[in-house]
C-alpha cells in the first residue's frame, strides 16, 4: 500500500477541529482539514457563540440607554435601533474571526480543503468540493469533529419564516412583534434576551418545571426572577399542544401550567442539538454510535471503535460547549503523538450570557445533596460589593460550595456582573483542587466584582 499523504485528516473546522489540526501540526504531523462551509470556525463562529454574543452585547448597550443610563445622569434622548448596522457589525466580527482561524491554520501548515467529507475506505477521506471535483485524502488517522445541528421538533418543523432555528433567529432583519421561544435553555434565554432588549415581546415555553434546569437551583430561580422583571413571559411546565399558521404568523395552543393561547409572528425552536453524522459514511467503518444520544462512542483517548478513527466535540458525550470541544481536540492529538493528555470534566465552566450573566463550574448544591456529599455553602450578594455600587450593577450573588470536612472546592456558581470572567478564577481553583480557604486567602484587587467571590469563599472557610 502506498504511504498516506497525511498523518491526520480532521473533518470539521469548528473549535474542536481547527484547534486539534493546529496543535497536531505543531506536534509535527502533516495535517489536512476538511470543512464544507466557506467560513472556518464551525457553528460556534458562524452561527453560535460569536454572533449571539455580538448581538447580546449590542442589545445590552441599547437596553442600558433605555434603563439604567438615567441613574448615571446620562440622558440620551430619543434612542432607536438601526438593525441593519447592528447585524452588519455582527457579521463583520464573524468574518474577521474566521479569517484569523484561516491564517492560524495557514501559519501552522495545515492544508485546508473545502467540501463535504466522507469516509470512503480504510485511511481514505473523500471530499466533494463545491466545484464538483472530488478529492481523496489518504491518511494514517482521521479525527471526526463534525459537531451538531439544531434538533427541532417534528410537530413544529423549521420553515425559515415563522418557525425558525437559532441560526435564523440570529439573522432576523426586523425585530419580531412577538417571539415565542420553545425551550428555556441556553439558546432560548440568550436569544430571547436579545430580541426582548431590542423591543420584541418574548414568551418562553419550557417543558420542565424550571428554565435552565442544569443550573444550581438557587441561581436558576434568581435568573428566572430577573428575566421576568425584564419582561420575558416565562411559562415553565408548559408545552405547545397545537400550532396553526395564519396570515401574520402562528396561533399557538399551550398546555400545562402556562396553558392558554398565544399568537406570534416568529417561533424559535431551541430544544437542544443533535450530533451531526449524516453523510459521513460511518456505516462501514465500525464507528459505534450510542443509539440513545446519537453520539459517537469513544474511549478516554477519543478513539472510536474503528481503528485510527477518533471523535471529539459535540459529536461525543459531554456538554456541547466550544471550549470543551477544543480541550478534547488538543487531548486527542497529544494522545496520538504519545504525550500525556486528559480533559478534566469536573472543571469545565459554563456561562449563560443573559443579563445578569450566569457562570458555573463544578457541582450544584442539588447534585451534592443527591450524592450525599457533606458540604458547606456560602453566598454573598453583589449588592455589598463596592464596585457593584459604583457600576450600578448590584443584582445577583456569588455562591461557593466546598466539602464539609476538607474544605475542598466542589462548585462555584455566580449570577451577576461579569460572571463569565469571574468564573475563570474558580475554574483554576477547582482544576488545582484548592480549598475555599485558599480562594479566600488570595488577595483580590479592590474594588472589583471578584471581591464577592472571595467573600463567599471566606464565609465558609472562616
Ligand atoms: P462545530 O462547531 O459544529 O463544527 C463542526 C464543523 O464541521 C462545522 O463547521 C460543519 O460545517 C463541519 N462539517 C460537518 N459535517 C461535515 C462534513 N461531512 N464535511 C466537512 N465539514 C463538515 N458554546 C460555548 O462554549 N459558548 C457559547 O457562547 C455558545 N453559544 C452558542 C450559541 C448558539 C446559538 C449555538 C447554536 C451554539 C452555541 N455554543 C456555545 C455551542 C458551540 O457552538 C458548540 O459546542 C461548538 O461549536 C462545538 O464545536 P465542534 O467543533 O464540535 O463542532
Ligand atoms: P438546551 O439543552 O440548553 O435547552 C433546551 C431546553 O428545551 C431545555 O430546557 C428543555 O427542557 C427544553 N425542551 C425540550 N423539549 C421541549 C419541548 N418540547 N417543549 C418545551 N421545552 C422543551 O438546548 P439549546 O438551548 O437548544 O442549546 C443547545 C446547546 O448549545 C446547549 O445545550 C449548549 O450546550 C449549547 N449552547 C451553549 C451556549 C453557551 O455556552 N452560552 C449558548 C447557546 C447554546
Amino acid at each position: 500500500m502506498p504511504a498516506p499523504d497525511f498523518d491526520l485528516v480532521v473533518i470539521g473546522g469548528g473549535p474542536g477541529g481547527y484547534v486539534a489540526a493546529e496543535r497536531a501540526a505543531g506536534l509535527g504531523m502533516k495535517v489536512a482539514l476538511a470543512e464544507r462551509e466557506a467560513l472556518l470556525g464551525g457553528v460556534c463562529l458562524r452561527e453560535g457563540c460569536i454572533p449571539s454574543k455580538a448581538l447580546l452585547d449590542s442589545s445590552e448597550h441599547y437596553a442600558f440607554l433605555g434603563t439604567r443610563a438615567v441613574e448615571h445622569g446620562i440622558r440620551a434622548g430619543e434612542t432607536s435601533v438601526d438593525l441593519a448596522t447592528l447585524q452588519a457589525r455582527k457579521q463583520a466580527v464573524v468574518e474577521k474571526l474566521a479569517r484569523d482561524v484561516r491564517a492560524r491554520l495557514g501559519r501552522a501548515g495545515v492544508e485546508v480543503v473545502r467540501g463535504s467529507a466522507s469516509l470512503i475506505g480504510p485511511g481514505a477521506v473523500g471530499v466533494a468540493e463545491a466545484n464538483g471535483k472530488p478529492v481523496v485524502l489518504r491518511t494514517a488517522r482521521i479525527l471526526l469533529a463534525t459537531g451538531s445541528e439544531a434538533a427541532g421538533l417534528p410537530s413544529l418543523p423549521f420553515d425559515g419564516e415563522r418557525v425558525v432555528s437559532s441560526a435564523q433567529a440570529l439573522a432576523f432583519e426586523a425585530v419580531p412583534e412577538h417571539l415565542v421561544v420553545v425551550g428555556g435553555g441556553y439558546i432560548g434565554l440568550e436569544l430571547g434576551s436579545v430580541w426582548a432588549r431590542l423591543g420584541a415581546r418574548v414568551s418562553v415555553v419550557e417543558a420542565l418545571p424550571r428554565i435552565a434546569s442544569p443550573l444550581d437551583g438557587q441561581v436558576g430561580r434568581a435568573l428566572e426572577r430577573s428575566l421576568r422583571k425584564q419582561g420575558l413571559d416565562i411559562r415553565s411546565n408548559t408545552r405547545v399542544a397545537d400550532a396553526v399558521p395564519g396570515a401574520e404568523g402562528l396561533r399557538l395552543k399551550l398546555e400545562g401550567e402556562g396553558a392558554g393561547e398565544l399568537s406570534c409572528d416568529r417561533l424559535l425552536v431551541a430544544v437542544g442539538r443533535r450530533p451531526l453524522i449524516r453523510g459521513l459514511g460511518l456505516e462501514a467503518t465500525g464507528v459505534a454510535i450510542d443509539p440513545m444520544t446519537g453520539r459517537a462512542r469513544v474511549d478516554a483517548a477519543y478513539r472510536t471503535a474503528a481503528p485510527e478513527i477518533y471523535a471529539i466535540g459535540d459529536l461525543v458525550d459531554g456538554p456541547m460547549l466550544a471550549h470543551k470541544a477544543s480541550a478534547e481536540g488538543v487531548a486527542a492529538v497529544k494522545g496520538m503523538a504519545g504525550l500525556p493528555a486528559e480533559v478534566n470534566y469536573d472543571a469545565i465552566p459554563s456561562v449563560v450570557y443573559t443579563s445578569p450573566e450566569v457562570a458555573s463550574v463544578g457541582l450544584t448544591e442539588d447534585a451534592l445533596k443527591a450524592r450525599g456529599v457533606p458540604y458547606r455553602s456560602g453566598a454573598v450578594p453583589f449588592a455589598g460589593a463596592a464596585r457593584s455600587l459604583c457600576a450600578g450593577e448590584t443584582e445577583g450573588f456569588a455562591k461557593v460550595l466546598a466539602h464539609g470536612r476538607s474544605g475542598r472546592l466542589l462548585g462555584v456558581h455566580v449570577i451577576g456582573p461579569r460572571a463569565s470572567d469571574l468564573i475563570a478564577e474558580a475554574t483554576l481553583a477547582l482544576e488545582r483542587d484548592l480549598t475555599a480557604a485558599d480562594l479566600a486567602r488570595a488577595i483580590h484587587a479592590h474594588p472589583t466584582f471578584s471581591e464577592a467571590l472571595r467573600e463567599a469563599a471566606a464565609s465558609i472557610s472562616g
Side-chain angles (χ1 to χ4, degrees):
M1 210 155 49
D5 304 322
F6 296 96
D7 298 310
L8 175 67
V9 169
V10 178
I11 305 182
Y18 83 75
V19 170
E22 184 184 32
R23 181 59 68 93
L27 290 168
M29 294 182 216
K30 186 154 191 284
V31 185
L33 181 144
E35 167 57 58
R36 64 186 181 189
E37 301 292 336
L39 293 182
L40 292 173
V43 163
C44 174
L45 215 163
R46 285 193 309 272
E47 52 186 58
C49 328
I50 300 303
S52 59
K53 267 79 253 178
L55 293 188
L56 279 155
D57 284 335
S58 296
S59 60
E60 194 160 0
H61 293 313
Y62 179 61
F64 174 79
L65 289 177
T67 52
R68 293 184 297 111
V70 172
E71 286 168 31
H72 291 266
I74 298 166
R75 291 188 199 284
E78 190 77 354
T79 58
S80 63
V81 174
D82 171 359
L83 193 56
T85 301
L86 191 145
Q87 289 286 21
R89 175 190 172 276
K90 174 204 79 180
Q91 199 51 30
V93 172
V94 167
E95 286 172 18
K96 149 91 176 94
L97 289 171
R99 282 195 302 276
D100 289 353
V101 171
R102 187 168 287 275
R104 272 171 66 171
L105 292 180
R107 279 196 299 275
V110 174
E111 186 166 325
V112 176
V113 185
R114 166 101 191 267
S116 202
S118 58
L119 278 55
I120 54 172
V125 174
V127 186
E129 288 187 315
N131 62 13
K133 204 171 78 206
V135 173
V136 178
L137 308 170
R138 303 215 165 266
T139 177
R141 293 188 176 105
I142 296 166
L143 176 64
L144 306 174
T146 49
S148 63
E149 60 186 349
L153 288 171
S155 56
L156 291 166
F158 297 122
D159 62 20
E161 267 305 312
R162 286 181 282 227
V163 182
V164 299
S165 66
S166 56
Q168 290 151 344
L170 284 165
F172 288 156
E173 287 169 2
V175 177
E177 289 277 322
H178 185 188
L179 172 68
V180 171
V181 183
V182 181
Y186 282 86
I187 292 179
L189 301 180
E190 290 185 358
L191 294 187
S193 295
V194 165
W195 294 108
R197 290 171 194 167
L198 295 178
R201 180 180 157 209
V202 174
S203 303
V204 178
V205 178
E206 167 58 51
L208 294 180
R210 244 180 46 205
I211 55 162
S213 55
L215 292 180
D216 182 272
Q218 193 182 354
V219 171
R221 285 188 294 277
L223 176 64
E224 183 160 338
R225 275 196 303 277
S226 179
L227 292 175
R228 280 186 200 281
K229 262 201 311 205
Q230 292 166 45
L232 272 76
D233 162 30
I234 295 175
R235 301 180 186 218
S236 1
N237 257 330
T238 305
R239 283 174 182 271
V240 177
D242 196 23
V244 181
E248 298 285 303
L250 288 166
R251 270 206 327 278
L252 305 176
K253 194 185 269 172
L254 307 183
E255 62 181 17
E257 234 169 69
E261 298 209 348
L262 287 179
S263 292
C264 64
D265 50 335
R266 301 277 202 174
L267 183 133
L268 163 61
V269 178
V271 294
R273 296 179 62 80
R274 61 165 171 246
L276 187 48
I277 54 171
R278 226 177 324 106
L280 268 178
L282 296 185
E283 302 74 18
T285 60
V287 172
I289 303 295
D290 183 325
M292 293 295 286
T293 61
R295 291 178 162 194
R297 286 201 175 119
V298 289
D299 66 10
Y302 305 98
R303 282 183 296 235
T304 67
E308 305 307 343
I309 302 181
Y310 296 69
I312 55 158
D314 281 8
L315 207 51
V316 304
D317 254 350
M320 287 184 166
L321 297 173
H323 41 284
K324 176 261 192 189
S326 301
E328 289 179 342
V330 170
V333 299
K334 282 175 79 179
M336 292 175 200
L339 298 171
E342 64 169 316
V343 173
N344 180 355
Y345 289 92
D346 294 331
I348 298 181
S350 64
V351 178
V352 191
Y353 295 83
T354 43
S355 176
E357 289 182 341
V358 178
S360 311
V361 62
L363 295 170
T364 62
E365 189 161 357
D366 317 283
L368 292 174
K369 279 186 188 147
R371 292 181 192 193
V373 178
Y375 69 91
R376 278 177 282 160
S377 163
V380 168
F382 281 101
R387 184 63 195 277
S388 294
L389 290 168
C390 297
E393 294 187 56
T394 51
E395 206 179 344
F397 54 88
K399 174 173 176 176
V400 172
L401 298 161
H403 195 280
R405 286 190 290 277
S406 65
R408 190 164 67 83
L409 288 167
L410 298 174
V412 175
H413 307 275
V414 183
I415 175 165
R418 306 198 198 164
S420 56
D421 292 315
L422 294 184
I423 208 66
E425 172 186 9
T427 303
L428 179 64
L430 258 80
E431 172 69 39
R432 305 312 297 170
D433 270 342
L434 299 186
T435 63
D438 291 326
L439 190 57
R441 196 178 303 118
I443 297 171
H444 288 65
H446 176 74
T448 57
F449 296 107
S450 70
E451 287 173 298
L453 182 56
R454 196 204 74 83
E455 280 186 31
S459 74
I460 51 174
S461 70

